[in-house]
């Protein structure tokens, strides 16, 4: 059932088997499996997630390489609802471990918000990450290219940059190192720091040895049309020619709501899990980009399968057998 501020009170007494935080690629896969195991689950999705900005899913077997993330989200949401999952548009603020259950506090509505609390036996953290983008006065100028020809994921889109003139936008010296991986796909790399870091002589020398120019002035605007990049104009008036780019500026991890849970094992901002996507907490699972591992749709989808199946096993094993009784 689709929940909203109008009808969500009907579920405030429910103890869900699992609450899935984030209805993206991994979360929707988990919901489809949970629902088909006959488990009660609620997906809570804030909107504007990472997979929504994915304009083409290029490397998923069986799907047309121009399939946008938006279509998969719509389809997966509808499918999970059809199998019996609940779905709520809202932002998970906090998860509290009450022992047998979790209390999941949600902000519903950006204006005149209400803050319902839902309960579940298990929590699946499927809230992912979001890439930092260069901040310009006119963000629309960034959005016109980000996700189209200005990429954020080399594994996803390196192929699409093959032998093109590319900018690498890096905000730390460490991120500049991506140039020496990106050169697998193209050697025509200009490195832009957007004025965000200083670059050591050692790195400058390495870039020079590879023939990769370095520009340290901030970006004024991206040039091009119809999402097709043609270059980048810097604030000092320089124009760097490029038909593609990679943003390597780190990410925001959507994990705030878990920070009050004791005993969770982290690797940086990623959750550490076992091979069924269970975290170090027996009733919290983590999927996809938020867990340690490869940030790919195929992985997130498989993770959803594993987590839902393990939760079903746990609940089934603790339940009395169903006998054929008249
Ligand atoms: P997501 O799909 O991002 O889902 C997490 C969801 O959680 C989001 O919808 C978000 O809104 C929601 N959320 C976050 N915090 C909260 C909260 N507190 N409360 C409620 N909801 C919350 N991968 C590929 O395999 N192939 C590609 O070609 C490819 N191209 C990409 C292109 C771009 C431009 C981008 C940005 C990514 C691309 N990716 C690609 C990566 C892919 O999008 C991710 O690896 C995948 O979406 C991860 O799935 P997930 O379920 O972990 O996260
Ligand atoms: P969020 O971090 O999602 O939310 C901010 C706060 O709002 C939250 O802390 C919460 O308190 C509240 N909130 C959020 N959702 C809800 C809810 N459902 N109910 C109640 N409260 C809520 N963004 C664009 O706008 N346009 C683009 O074209 C665009 N293109 C992008 C392309 C790429 C490749 C990438 C990586 C990102 C892109 N973004 C784009 C995303 C952009 O960078 C921001 O991450 C996104 O817009 C953040 O949305 P938000 O302001 O809702 O922030
Ligand atoms: P496969 O997809 O079986 O691929 C292995 C391939 O290797 C085969 O095409 C085979 O011909 C080939 N091969 C084997 N030996 C050799 C050799 N020596 N030389 C050359 N080629 C060889 N899974 C789901 O997730 N959801 C479902 O709803 C679902 N329903 C199913 C319904 C049915 C009727 C069946 C049979 C399976 C179903 N499955 C379902 C399971 C799913 O098909 C498998 O889990 C999945 O295909 C496994 O992928 P795979 O690549 O390991 O093997």
């Amino acid at each position: 059932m689709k929940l909203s501020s109008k009808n969500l009170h009907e579920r405030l007494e429910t103890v869900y088997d699992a609450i899935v935080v984030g209805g993206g690629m991994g979360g929707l896969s988990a919901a489809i499996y949970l629902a088909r195991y006959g488990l009660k689950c609620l997906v809570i999705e804030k909107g504007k997630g990472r997979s929504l900005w994915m304009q083409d899913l290029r490397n998923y077997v069986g799907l047309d390489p121009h399939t946008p993330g938006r279509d998969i989200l719509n389809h997966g949401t509808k499918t999970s609802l059809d199998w019996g999952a609940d779905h709520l548009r809202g932002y998970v603020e906090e998860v509290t471990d009450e022992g047998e259950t979790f209390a999941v506090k949600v902000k519903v509505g950006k204006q005149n918000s209400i803050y319902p609390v839902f309960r579940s036996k298990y929590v699946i953290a499927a809230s992912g990450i979001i890439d930092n983008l260069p901040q310009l006065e006119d963000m629309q100028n960034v959005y016109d290219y980000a996700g189209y020809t200005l990429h954020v994921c080399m594994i996803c889109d390196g192929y699409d940059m093959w032998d093109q003139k590319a900018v690498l936008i890096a905000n730390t010296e460490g991120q500049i190192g991506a140039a020496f991986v990106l050169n697998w796909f193209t050697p025509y790399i200009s490195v832009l720091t957007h004025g965000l870091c200083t670059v050591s002589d050692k790195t400058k020398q390495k870039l020079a040895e590879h023939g990769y120019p370095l520009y340290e002035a901030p970006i004024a605007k991206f040039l091009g049309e119809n999402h097709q990049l043609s270059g980048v104009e810097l604030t000092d008036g320089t124009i760097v020619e490029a038909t593609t780019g990679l943003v390597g500026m780190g990410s925001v991890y959507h994990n705030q709501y878990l920070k009050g849970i004791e005993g969770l094992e982290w690797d940086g901002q990623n959750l550490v899990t076992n091979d069924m996507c269970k975290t170090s907490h027996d009733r919290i699972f983590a999927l996809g980009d938020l867990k340690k591992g490869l940030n790919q749709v195929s992985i997130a989808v498989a993770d959803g399968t594993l987590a839902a199946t393990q939760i079903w096993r746990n609940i089934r094993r603790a339940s009395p057998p169903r006998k054929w009784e008249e």
Side-chain angles (χ1 to χ4, degrees), residues 29 36 55 65 71 79 104 118 121 133 146 152 159 163 172 242 274:
S29 168
R36 288 179 54 88
Q55 303 301 330
D71 286 4
T79 311
V104 178
F118 296 90
K121 297 178 190 159
L133 296 175
V152 295
Y159 180 92
D163 281 352
T172 63
N274 70 8

Side-chain angles (χ1 to χ4, degrees), residues 45-48 53 89-91 93 107-110 130-131 133 140 143 146-147 152 254:
E45 164 59 36
K46 75 176 177 65
K48 298 189 180 181
W53 309 114
R89 180 55 71 101
Y91 180 89
E93 288 209 327
K107 178 181 173 193
V108 178
K110 277 205 174 187
I130 189 87
D131 313 82
L133 296 175
Q140 192 50 52
Y143 297 151
V152 295
H254 295 135

